[in-house]
């Protein structure tokens, strides 16, 4: 039994048995083996009626087994859809709490390579857990994919339902079922029917939750509960509008050049392979930006989000018995990925005198005690601090990793928005690696992970890449299935925008304007330079600020930890003056996020997320009005603490 280095939890033993899809054989197997979890599809000849589904529900319910039924083969987006027995059952009967429906929209004739899936469940615990695990392992679904499928569902439903309000909601994550309000939530997409009582689809208004049975159903693994309970991925807003300074997303205005490229990609038809082949331009990009060496042995892998690629790297680390090493002051989402997948994890100490950067001397001491280390480095721009690694600092770090034979993962996803590029100088990884290649351990290798949403100033467009040079690692990576790949329209847009970046003026000029906005906001949070309306900012509100040099985030340490504040149980009462349902919170690293959110509606990342005790993270790529509101929230929280 392997032990995780951090929490000492043993691995859960999982035995997988492949089973037939035909329902009668599957039910016989379920009764004899009594499995804890059943993941199955349903045969085509049994899909038309609901009888096979009902039998599966009864068989799994009797023994307390969770059922995940995949109906992807039968769900077709068409104006003349076929009958699906599972959906017919759901139209009039609540789904038992032990069962969930999984569906990938694979039968899509318009954009056949667009990958989106949804889950239907009526158990709140499952939906909340899935929403967090999706965000950890895969990242948010791109807005383009959401709106595309939102439009399709709207069109297919609009002419079939009478007296239907023309309203559609699109959401990025699974939230919760709301049958009493006439809503069917389909995982990554929410289709809002908005029916009036007594009208069409009134059956949904009368749905009642199934009474809980005494049969015990398998719960979540201990490691999963630990991560999901502590991960700062989502917060219940109770219908109250929140200001999100805790997410790595771009909310500044999208430049017209980017909009035009996205529109062109959807308007084009019959695109050739050469028009959507992004490998040559990505190869040129990593060579120009970071000096990363590429040759015929370099393999580029693409996905919608960098989290999906990183999660596969963690699996590779686990497979070879390695340990993921994170500097104190790393992206909390990536740390959560490693913990959720039950990888051995180690935190490398950093100190405030060096801006919480990874240093060669400390790294050598940590690595010399470890076998098969994997070192994660966020750079050139460090998330969350917003500081930069110089080329020399990176060479020193790689030299230390080479001597111990560590596998290095350099994450460039948060780079490309340096405030003073000329003063920094950039990277030349090829030169660094050529100096240490002869003295390095044979197992030493460097993988380059990156995302282009920030670099190309597009929050709606999701695109990530991974460059691998080690043949064994390439083979191991491809042994893990389930990677969501970018759609051809995304590839066309990325290639177009990278081409525009190489031209003088245009996109580069727009990028410089956006960088100046970010730099001014960073100064605004540290210094009193904003406006008469908000003369008090972080430092005047009792925060010790570490000023960033790049990117969309920064960190600061509050001086009022240890004090206590009163907060409302529900965010609905935030700012309303109601004090009848309050409780007291002592401000600590673990409680500060909750206290700020429930008193002001502002969401930040705590020191638990940043990995730097006492230091919280603030992202600054917000809409202008929301940024002003965020400053006002900081002032408000200071007054609450003082009072």
């Amino acid at each position: 039994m392997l032990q995780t280095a951090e929490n000492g939890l043993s691995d859960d033993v999982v035995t997988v048995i492949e089973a037939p899809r035909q329902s009668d054989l599957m039910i016989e197997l379920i009764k004899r083996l009594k499995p804890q979890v059943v993941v199955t599809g349903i045969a085509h000849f049994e899909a038309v009626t609901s009888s096979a589904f009902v039998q599966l529900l009864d068989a799994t319910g009797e023994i307390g087994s969770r059922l995940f039924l995949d109906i992807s083969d039968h769900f077709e987006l068409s104006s003349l859809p076929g009958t699906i027995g599972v959906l017919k059952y759901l139209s009039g009967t609540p789904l038992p709490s032990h069962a969930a429906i999984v569906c990938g929209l694979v039968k899509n004739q318009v954009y056949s390579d667009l990958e989106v899936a949804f889950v239907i469940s009526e158990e709140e615990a499952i939906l909340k857990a899935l929403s967090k695990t999706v965000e950890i392992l895969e990242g948010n679904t791109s807005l383009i994919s959401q709106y595309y499928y939102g439009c399709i569902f709207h069109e297919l439903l609009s002419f079939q339902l009478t007296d239907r309000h023309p309203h559609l909601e699109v959401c990025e994550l699974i939230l919760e079922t709301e049958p009493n309000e006439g809503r069917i939530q389909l995982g990554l997409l929410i289709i809002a029917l908005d029916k009036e009582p007594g009208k069409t689809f009134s059956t949904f208004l009368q749905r009642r939750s199934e009474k809980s049975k005494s049969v015990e159903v398998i719960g979540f693994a201990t490691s999963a509960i630990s991560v999901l309970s502590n991960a700062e991925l989502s917060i219940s807003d109770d219908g109250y509008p929140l200001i999100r300074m805790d997410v790595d997303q771009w909310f500044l205005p999208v430049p017209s050049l980017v909009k035009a490229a996205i529109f062109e990609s959807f308007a084009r038809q019959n695109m050739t392979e050469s028009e959507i082949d992004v490998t040559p331009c990505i190869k040129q990009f990593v060579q120009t930006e970071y000096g990363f060496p590429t040759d015929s042995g370099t393999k580029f892998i693409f996905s919608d989000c960098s989290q999906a690629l990183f999660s596969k790297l963690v699996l590779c680390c686990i497979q070879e018995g390695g340990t993921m090493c994170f500097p104190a002051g790393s992206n909390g989402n990536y740390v959560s990925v490693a913990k959720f997948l039950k990888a051995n994890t180690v935190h490398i100490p950093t100190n405030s005198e060096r801006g919480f950067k990874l240093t060669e001397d400390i790294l050598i001491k940590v690595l010399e005690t470890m076998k098969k280390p994997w070192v994660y480095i966020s750079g050139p721009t460090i998330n969350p601090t917003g500081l930069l690694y110089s080329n020399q600092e990176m060479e020193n770090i790689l030299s230390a990793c080479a001597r111990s034979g560590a596998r290095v993962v350099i994450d460039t996803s948060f780079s490309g928005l340096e405030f003073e590029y000329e003063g920094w100088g950039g990277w030349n990884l090829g030169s660094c690696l050529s100096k240490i290649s002869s003295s390095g351990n044979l197992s030493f290798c460097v993988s380059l992970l990156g995302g282009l949403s920030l670099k190309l100033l597009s929050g709606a467009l999701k695109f990530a890449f991974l460059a691998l040079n080690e043949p064994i690692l390439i083979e191991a990576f491809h042994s893990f299935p389930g990677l969501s790949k970018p759609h051809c329209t995304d590839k066309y847009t990325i290639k177009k925008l990278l081409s525009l970046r190489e031209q003088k003026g245009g996109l580069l000029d727009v990028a410089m304007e956006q960088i100046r906005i970010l730099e001014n906001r960073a100064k605004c949070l540290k210094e009193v330079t904003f406006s008469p309306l908000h003369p008090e900012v972080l430092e005047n509100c009792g925060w010790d600020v570490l000023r960033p040099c790049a990117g969309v985030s920064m960190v600061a340490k509050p001086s009022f930890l240890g004090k206590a504040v009163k907060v409302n149980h529900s965010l609905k009462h935030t700012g309303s003056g109601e004090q009848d349902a309050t409780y007291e919170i002592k401000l600590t690293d673990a409680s500060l996020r909750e206290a700020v959110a429930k008193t002001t509606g502002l969401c930040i990342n705590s020191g638990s997320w940043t990995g730097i005790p006492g230091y919280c993270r603030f992202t600054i790529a917000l809409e202008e009005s929301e940024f002003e509101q965020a400053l006002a929230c900081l002032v408000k929280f200071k007054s609450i603490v003082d009072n």
Side-chain angles (χ1 to χ4, degrees), residues 53-75:
F53 178 52
V54 172
Q55 292 173 14
L56 282 171
L57 289 176
D58 293 340
T60 51
E62 286 176 4
I63 64 171
S65 174
R66 287 200 180 274
L67 173 65
F68 293 91
L69 184 69
D70 186 356
I71 61 170
S72 303
D73 291 341
H74 317 296
F75 193 95

Side-chain angles (χ1 to χ4, degrees), residues 278-288 292 294-295 298 300:
V278 295
T279 301
C281 60
I282 295 294
K283 181 180 292 188
Q284 181 62 43
F285 171 78
V286 299
Q287 290 174 341
T288 303
F292 186 75
T294 60
D295 54 30
T298 305
F300 282 89

Side-chain angles (χ1 to χ4, degrees), residues 390-606:
S390 68
N391 193 66
Q392 185 59 53
E393 286 174 327
M394 201 62 216
E395 183 177 330
N396 295 339
I397 292 172
L398 292 178
S399 296
C401 292
R403 286 197 292 272
S404 63
R407 300 197 186 278
V408 181
V409 179
I410 300 178
D411 182 12
T412 67
S413 304
F414 311 99
S415 303
L417 299 172
E418 297 80 22
F419 301 160
E420 297 179 5
Y421 184 87
E422 297 300 328
W424 166 55
W427 273 8
N428 188 349
L429 292 176
S431 175
C432 296
L433 293 173
S434 63
K435 292 179 182 179
I436 63 178
S437 59
S438 58
S439 60
N441 188 299
L442 291 178
S443 63
F444 169 72
C445 68
V446 177
S447 304
L448 195 71
L449 176 66
L452 296 179
S453 292
L454 296 181
K455 191 79 175 180
L456 299 178
L457 313 178
S458 170
L461 192 64
K462 300 289 185 180
F463 187 91
F465 63 86
L466 174 64
L468 300 175
N469 287 320
E470 174 60 48
I472 296 177
L473 194 55
I474 294 173
E475 182 179 355
F477 190 95
H478 285 296
S479 67
F480 300 107
L483 187 66
S484 180
K485 300 176 182 179
H487 183 241
C488 64
T489 55
D490 293 342
K491 294 179 180 179
Y492 182 92
T493 305
I494 290 297
K495 189 169 183 179
K496 182 84 172 181
L497 292 175
L498 287 176
S499 176
L500 290 173
R501 269 193 91 255
E502 296 177 359
Q503 302 174 13
K504 292 185 179 180
L507 192 58
L508 283 177
D509 287 347
V510 175
M512 290 306 301
E513 293 175 6
Q514 304 280 38
I515 289 173
R516 293 287 80 83
I517 292 174
L518 295 174
E519 183 179 14
N520 290 333
R521 289 184 175 183
K523 290 180 180 178
C524 163
L525 280 172
K526 180 173 175 59
E527 303 166 358
V528 187
T529 58
F530 188 55
S531 73
L533 295 178
H534 304 293
E536 297 180 35
V537 283
L538 276 177
E539 288 198 337
N540 283 4
C541 290
W543 297 77
D544 180 19
V545 180
L546 182 63
R547 182 171 175 176
C549 303
V552 299
S553 71
M554 59 190 295
V555 298
K557 182 178 182 178
S559 61
F560 40 75
L561 292 181
K563 294 187 177 182
V565 297
K566 289 185 177 181
V567 302
N568 290 293
H569 282 278
S570 173
L571 280 170
K572 290 181 180 179
H573 302 304
T574 300
S576 65
E578 295 187 24
Q579 301 294 329
D580 56 337
T582 62
Y583 63 100
E584 191 172 86
I585 290 183
K586 184 177 181 180
L587 298 179
T588 64
D589 253 5
S591 66
L592 185 61
R593 169 180 164 87
E594 178 188 2
V596 174
K598 289 199 171 183
T599 54
T600 67
L602 175 65
C603 297
I604 60 175
N605 294 116
S606 70

Side-chain angles (χ1 to χ4, degrees), residues 16 24 117 161-162 228 233 355 359 381 399 416 462 536 568 609:
V16 179
D24 57 342
L161 304 178
T162 60
L228 298 181
L233 300 170
T359 55
T381 299
S399 296
K462 300 289 185 180
E536 297 180 35
N568 290 293
W609 188 95

Side-chain angles (χ1 to χ4, degrees), residues 262-421:
I262 294 175
F263 179 79
E264 181 181 340
S265 70
F266 273 86
R268 284 291 309 275
Q269 294 183 357
N270 303 319
M271 288 184 285
T272 63
E273 285 296 322
S274 61
E275 289 179 301
I276 60 175
D277 182 10
V278 295
T279 301
C281 60
I282 295 294
K283 181 180 292 188
Q284 181 62 43
F285 171 78
V286 299
Q287 290 174 341
T288 303
E289 293 293 318
Y290 312 113
F292 186 75
T294 60
D295 54 30
S296 58
T298 305
K299 178 68 174 179
F300 282 89
I301 304 165
F302 307 115
S303 182
D304 291 333
C305 292
S306 56
Q307 292 102 309
L309 295 170
F310 182 72
S311 66
K312 296 295 185 295
L313 285 174
V314 173
L315 293 176
C316 292
C317 172
I318 295 172
Q319 188 178 71
E320 71 172 24
T323 299
M324 291 298 304
C325 304
F326 295 95
S330 296
N331 185 295
N333 288 351
Y334 288 91
V335 177
S336 295
V337 169
K339 290 180 179 179
F340 184 82
L341 295 175
K342 295 184 289 186
N344 294 326
T345 59
V346 167
H347 289 278
I348 305 174
T350 57
N351 57 68
S352 57
E353 291 76 17
R354 300 295 297 273
F356 304 107
K357 290 183 179 181
L358 185 61
T359 55
E360 181 183 15
D361 53 343
I362 297 178
L363 182 59
I364 291 174
K365 292 179 182 179
V366 173
L367 294 183
E368 65 185 6
T369 63
M370 300 178 58
K371 293 182 179 179
K372 298 181 179 179
W374 286 56
V375 179
Y376 170 83
I377 303 170
S378 177
T381 299
I382 305 169
N383 186 342
T385 63
L387 298 185
L388 291 167
Y389 282 117
S390 68
N391 193 66
Q392 185 59 53
E393 286 174 327
M394 201 62 216
E395 183 177 330
N396 295 339
I397 292 172
L398 292 178
S399 296
C401 292
R403 286 197 292 272
S404 63
R407 300 197 186 278
V408 181
V409 179
I410 300 178
D411 182 12
T412 67
S413 304
F414 311 99
S415 303
L417 299 172
E418 297 80 22
F419 301 160
E420 297 179 5
Y421 184 87

